[in-house]
Amino acid sequence: MAPCRRFVGVSTWTGDDGGGRRHEADWVVEVDGDLDHPALEWSKHSAYGWFGAADLDRLKENCAPGEFLVHDLIAGVLLGPARGPR
């Protein structure tokens, strides 16, 4: 990971595993390396994707109403907080 560019904010959410409330800090960062073949911790992540403003609807796929935390976070970064969904 290269430099952090911007602090986005802190989100609070409750998982469905009985672990209680979580607080997540999100940052915009630069990354280096082969972006066509990212190295993920596959035990923690089932997929990856690169998203622009035209791809935001993909982040709502298979989500119940009110489960748009990731969508809303990325929309806010790409479109700006005033234009991103809430």
Side-chain angles (χ1 to χ4, degrees):
M1 187 171 75
C4 293
R5 293 295 175 198
R6 176 167 61 104
F7 175 64
V8 176
V10 175
S11 302
T12 301
W13 55 280
T14 302
D16 59 4
D17 60 358
R21 292 171 56 93
R22 290 148 168 109
H23 304 280
E24 175 179 310
D26 296 297
W27 300 81
V28 175
V29 299
E30 275 186 39
V31 294
D32 294 323
D34 182 357
L35 299 182
D36 289 327
H37 301 95
L40 298 178
E41 294 180 72
W42 288 108
S43 64
K44 296 179 182 178
H45 304 283
S46 59
Y48 71 91
W50 305 118
F51 294 90
D55 306 305
L56 289 172
D57 283 343
R58 285 178 38 210
L59 295 171
K60 290 184 175 181
E61 291 176 357
N62 302 313
C63 292
E67 293 183 353
F68 299 137
L69 176 71
V70 173
H71 170 275
D72 292 352
L73 176 70
I74 293 176
V77 169
L78 293 174
L79 304 175
R83 293 177 48 206
R86 292 285 167 233

